[in-house]
Amino acid sequence: MNDSELQDMLKAARTPDHDQAYWDASAEQVMRNLGRRRLEHATPDGWLGPIAWGSAVALACVAIGFGIGHGDRGAVARLLQPEQQLRREWAVVPQRLGVVMQDEHGLHQLVADSY
Amino acid sequence: MRETDAALARRSREGDAAAFELLVRSHQRMIHSLTYRMTGSPADAEDLAQETFLRAYEQLGSFRGEARFSTWLYRIAINACLNWRQRENRRSQVYAAWAESAEALQTPAEAQSPDEQVQTALMKLPPKQRAAIVLTVCDGLDHREAAHALGSSVATVAWRVFAAKAKLKRLLAKSRSDE
């Protein structure tokens, strides 16, 4: 087989033939895929959505943490207040502090008249 | 008057989807033919043609009109086909035993049509030699255009065409003698 025969054979070899409907469907598929890909890249849901959601969650965590931190400090202060008051009373009337009780109005002590 | 490929490419770049669809419709037969000759499978050819046009759209910014639009498109299609070959090679290593049994079931050369004999012979070439012979002989590109599409030098293309022709002559002569 010489070069010319080979060239003729290669040029004559046909690839599978398709009707016009196939080509129309194929072109439409390209455009559909393209539209889908553009949507994936263009809308916030594609990549901006998770970032926005992540930022919102992080911000909420910081706010909650900040609130809890402040809340804790308030609670600790409230718990420490009677203890400080007791110490003061104890310093004023040592050995005479009989009963200690606390209600919604605060801390109450019953001081004995004598030792 | 028919708008030139370069003008359609410019409009596509500006976001005109209808212009890009015109480009797809005017080049899809050429690209399908190339991807079929590179893969030997109509289904893979269709997938690779789809992939070629999607990549082409994404890379429209790199088309500056220095080469013909079809040559630029050939380059994208050839790259897609060569990458497909690499994926297929990896897959075929995994399914080597299955491939052997599938080959045994293939149509014998004497029962093949001339078109099938050519395709079978093409598939036995190394992918880059196959690409060179398909572009230059089947699709009629000159060596300079084929070099541009293949991303290699003209001398490399000439060598690959020479080597591919020598191998094809042997393979096709054998197919004829088996008939």
Side-chain angles (χ1 to χ4, degrees):
Chain A
M1 183 182 283
N2 61 31
D3 260 18
S4 170
E5 284 174 324
L6 176 67
Q7 298 234 142
D8 290 345
M9 204 171 173
L10 289 173
K11 281 181 182 171
R14 283 169 305 177
T15 54
D17 203 13
H18 301 291
D19 57 16
Q20 188 54 42
Y22 175 88
W23 297 119
D24 288 342
S26 180
E28 283 160 15
Q29 185 62 44
V30 171
M31 299 312 290
R32 264 199 302 276
N33 289 340
L34 205 57
R36 197 178 304 140
R37 201 172 281 196
R38 268 191 308 207
L39 273 178
E40 281 168 5
H41 285 86
T43 60
D45 285 343
W47 58 274
L48 200 58
I51 292 176
W53 274 108
S55 303
V57 169
L59 198 65
C61 288
V62 169
I64 290 166
F66 193 72
I68 288 171
H70 270 268
D72 269 349
R73 277 202 287 274
V76 169
R78 276 194 301 278
L79 285 170
L80 286 177
Q81 201 175 5
E83 193 262 351
Q84 286 166 352
Q85 193 179 342
L86 272 175
R87 282 180 188 278
R88 279 200 301 273
E89 297 291 342
W90 185 257
V92 174
V93 283
Q95 309 298 323
R96 290 173 61 195
L97 206 54
V99 178
V100 178
M101 58 175 286
Q102 187 173 18
D103 60 13
E104 65 272 20
H105 303 293
L107 196 68
H108 306 278
Q109 306 91 24
L110 188 63
V111 179
D113 289 333
S114 60
Y115 292 102
Chain B
M1 197 180 84
R2 190 176 168 274
E3 210 169 352
T4 63
D5 285 348
L8 288 171
R10 191 182 61 248
R11 277 175 48 201
S12 304
R13 217 169 25 233
E14 290 162 359
D16 186 341
F20 189 70
E21 188 169 353
L22 283 175
L23 283 172
V24 172
R25 286 180 183 276
S26 62
H27 293 282
Q28 60 183 356
R29 285 174 174 82
M30 171 193 93
I31 294 299
H32 272 79
S33 173
L34 173 68
T35 54
Y36 175 75
R37 285 191 169 118
M38 287 300 292
T39 62
S41 151
D44 289 331
E46 171 63 31
D47 287 349
L48 285 168
Q50 291 281 330
E51 193 176 329
T52 297
F53 286 116
L54 292 178
R55 285 192 196 177
Y57 188 83
E58 286 168 355
Q59 296 171 24
L60 270 173
S62 71
F63 176 67
R64 296 183 184 87
E66 290 157 358
R68 283 192 294 166
F69 182 79
S70 56
T71 309
W72 179 79
L73 203 55
Y74 268 128
R75 183 171 187 156
I76 295 171
I78 286 288
N79 283 335
C81 291
L82 293 176
N83 289 338
W84 173 85
R85 287 299 307 173
Q86 286 170 358
R87 290 201 300 267
E88 281 301 294
N89 284 343
R90 281 197 292 274
R91 205 179 301 166
S92 68
Q93 283 166 10
V94 177
Y95 296 106
W98 176 85
E100 268 180 36
S101 61
E103 198 171 337
L105 293 172
Q106 275 181 352
T107 316
E110 61 269 26
Q112 286 183 326
S113 69
D115 293 345
E116 288 169 337
Q117 285 177 13
V118 167
Q119 188 58 44
T120 303
L122 282 173
M123 293 308 292
K124 287 180 179 168
L125 295 175
K128 288 181 178 176
Q129 283 183 20
R130 188 184 321 137
I133 199 89
V134 166
L135 288 177
T136 55
V137 179
C138 302
D139 291 342
L141 270 65
D142 62 32
H143 283 195
R144 192 182 53 81
E145 286 177 313
H148 189 272
L150 290 165
S152 53
S153 69
V154 174
T156 304
V157 170
W159 166 250
R160 284 180 187 156
V161 169
F162 174 78
K165 278 183 177 175
K167 195 165 183 181
L168 283 174
K169 281 179 196 172
R170 278 201 309 275
L171 290 166
L172 291 170
K174 188 175 180 300
S175 297
R176 279 183 175 180
S177 66
D178 289 345
E179 280 176 4

